[in-house]
Amino acid sequence: MSGVSDQSSYDFKKQLQENCHALVPGYGTSYGYVPSLAAGIVFCSLFGVSMILHMIQLVWKRQWWCIVFVLGCITELIGWGGRTWSAECPYNGNAFLMQISTLIIAPTFFTAGIYVLLGRFIHLLGPETSILSPKLYLWIFVTCDVVSLVVQAVGGGMASIEVNKINGNTAPGTHTMVAGIVFQLFSISIFVFFAADFVRRTLRMRVLQNMKGSIIPLLAAMVFSVICIYIRSIYRTIELSQGWTGYLITHEIYFVVLDGVMMVLAVGVFNIFHPGWLLPKNTPKPFHEPIYSPGATEMQ
């Protein structure tokens, strides 16, 4: 009888996942709650506005690498669209997979933009301001992001397969996802270290005042965006490490504030302080000339 009951329950859950049903007492959702419709609409609107502005700024200023911000907004928009769908159909499996896959990927586009932007700063201010070359930032950290996403995708696929089984074991898939996001947090932490060192060097060498157009607002925007992404990464690492029934993942307010709000701020700040407006066209000195020399300072 137990086997029949399990099969019946499984069939009913399968039906819920394949269709649109309101919340059924006694049957929890994949989220652990019903996503907020208001939050879904608000974030779809915010990312939609940011996307449109970035598209206009992209064409206007012809900083084509900034398309990564557009792609990130589109991905966030799809993800929050999935959560909005889930607000009306909380059991729908497609809506759940739609949001979880895209909202994990989206920040990667924003970090890619920051890697490029830091490279532009290094080109402008001189190689002495950075431990790594601009190209190395892009290749190393984008590669790390891709590896992390692949691992998370594999883990997510493993977990989703087990969820659809009777008494399926989601632990291996969850652990794989956690490994991927921990690796991502580690790589972002390394980048934060290098970025902080870049800021330290530029301040110590006093090179910013050599620029005709100040890049301080854009530099501050980059630092702010990195902090937002880093906060989000820490949150997602802790969230997934607690498992699918953990406290953080089953309370939407944390996701809204520590993922949604952080990502809106991370990309929205570049609508206000856009690289196309604030990146100077000149360099303070040719790249082969040292910007700062203690000996030269003493002679003066």
Side-chain angles (χ1 to χ4, degrees):
M1 292 292 292
S2 177
V4 174
S5 177
D6 288 343
Q7 183 63 47
S8 177
S9 177
Y10 171 78
D11 290 340
F12 182 63
K13 289 181 179 179
K14 191 74 172 176
Q15 184 181 6
L16 290 177
Q17 291 176 351
E18 293 175 351
N19 297 284
C20 185
H21 290 272
L23 187 66
V24 178
Y27 286 87
T29 70
S30 298
Y31 298 92
Y33 55 83
V34 177
S36 167
L37 178 61
I41 293 173
V42 167
F43 282 104
C44 281
S45 301
L46 290 174
F47 284 114
V49 169
S50 182
M51 177 192 69
I52 292 170
L53 290 176
H54 272 298
M55 290 176 68
I56 294 172
Q57 292 167 323
L58 176 70
V59 175
W60 182 10
K61 303 306 296 184
R62 298 183 181 276
Q63 292 282 343
W64 302 116
W65 62 270
C66 289
I67 194 172
V68 292
F69 297 129
V70 176
L71 296 175
C73 285
I74 291 173
T75 310
E76 288 279 358
L77 187 57
I78 294 171
W80 281 96
R83 291 183 69 88
T84 305
W85 182 6
S86 291
E88 296 295 316
C89 309
Y91 298 103
N92 190 279
N94 291 330
F96 179 77
L97 291 175
M98 174 179 166
Q99 64 87 32
I100 197 171
S101 58
T102 52
L103 294 180
I104 285 177
I105 294 171
T108 305
F109 291 104
F110 304 149
T111 54
I114 290 172
Y115 302 152
V116 175
L117 182 57
L118 181 57
R120 295 300 175 94
F121 282 139
I122 296 168
H123 273 304
L124 286 168
L125 301 177
E128 297 85 357
T129 59
S130 175
I131 298 174
L132 301 178
S133 69
K135 287 185 178 180
L136 279 179
Y137 277 108
L138 194 60
W139 282 106
I140 291 174
F141 292 106
V142 167
T143 300
C144 288
D145 283 345
V146 170
V147 170
S148 169
L149 290 176
V150 169
V151 173
Q152 290 180 64
V154 170
M158 293 168 59
S160 63
I161 291 172
E162 292 299 317
V163 165
N164 292 324
K165 294 180 180 179
I166 299 176
N167 299 322
N169 181 17
T170 60
T174 301
H175 293 158
T176 303
M177 285 188 70
V178 171
I181 202 164
V182 167
F183 177 74
Q184 186 177 41
L185 178 62
F186 173 76
S187 66
I188 291 177
S189 297
I190 299 298
F191 174 76
V192 167
F193 169 78
F194 284 131
D197 180 73
F198 166 79
V199 173
R200 181 188 66 82
R201 291 183 182 216
T202 57
L203 294 176
R204 179 172 63 88
M205 297 175 183
R206 300 178 181 178
V207 295
L208 294 179
Q209 61 265 40
N210 293 335
M211 308 302 295
K212 289 183 179 179
S214 176
I215 61 171
I216 292 178
L218 183 57
L219 181 60
M222 185 190 76
V223 171
F224 176 77
S225 185
V226 168
I227 291 172
C228 291
I229 293 172
Y230 197 52
I231 290 172
R232 181 261 180 194
S233 296
I234 294 173
Y235 157 69
R236 292 308 296 263
T237 301
I238 298 173
E239 176 202 51
L240 282 178
S241 66
Q242 293 180 347
W244 297 101
T245 57
Y247 183 81
L248 289 179
I249 205 169
T250 55
H251 290 76
E252 186 178 23
I253 184 63
Y254 296 104
F255 183 83
V256 168
V257 174
L258 297 176
D259 191 299
V261 172
M262 290 300 105
M263 291 302 94
V264 166
L265 294 175
V267 69
V269 70
F270 292 117
N271 288 128
I272 301 171
F273 303 103
H274 194 270
W277 292 333
L278 298 176
L279 275 177
K281 305 303 180 184
N282 67 305
T283 56
K285 286 190 177 183
F287 295 159
H288 64 275
E289 294 184 17
I291 293 178
Y292 173 79
S293 172
T297 303
E298 291 173 3
M299 291 178 65
Q300 292 176 357

